[in-house]
Amino acid sequence: MSIERVYGIVLWRDAADGSAVIWCDDQAELAFLDGAREGGSCKRTGVALASGDLILFALHEEGDVRRARAAELVNRDGMPRLVEMLKLEAAALTHGVEPAGGLAQPGAAGRPRLV
């Protein structure tokens, strides 16, 4: 179990427990931040994470799950439209249409990846 520092964008955050799903800059599987374990906020600032935030975090694998720990806010709302753009690109790919923005292309198992 190696631990590395990775940048990512928060795609979704559960306001109730602070859990988050993160798109990682290594283009591999998404990472999961356990809100109960991590407190759902950045370690240094205590700022609650939000969708679109650019963060730096420690990434490690527990079984088949990539876990994010010790998240640090790099840029609040760094990619505010990322989730919306991904949905549009995925819909285009699903319907066999050339993606408009060139943001995503099919990756492993049909998952979108940045180009």
Side-chain angles (χ1 to χ4, degrees), residues 42 45-54 73-80:
C42 294
T45 63
V47 174
L49 298 175
S51 181
D53 286 351
L54 173 63
L73 183 64
V74 174
N75 187 356
R76 170 64 78 195
D77 211 19
M79 284 291 289

Side-chain angles (χ1 to χ4, degrees), residues 6-7 23-30 66 103-105 107-108 111-115:
V6 176
Y7 287 96
W23 190 5
C24 307
D25 72 346
D26 65 2
Q27 303 304 313
E29 299 294 324
L30 301 174
R66 290 167 37 113
L103 174 68
Q105 291 182 354
R111 293 185 193 95
R113 63 177 177 81
L114 284 178
V115 292

Side-chain angles (χ1 to χ4, degrees), residues 8-12 50-55 75-83:
I9 300 288
V10 176
L11 294 176
W12 172 86
S51 181
D53 286 351
L54 173 63
I55 60 174
N75 187 356
R76 170 64 78 195
D77 211 19
M79 284 291 289
R81 295 189 54 236
L82 180 61
V83 173

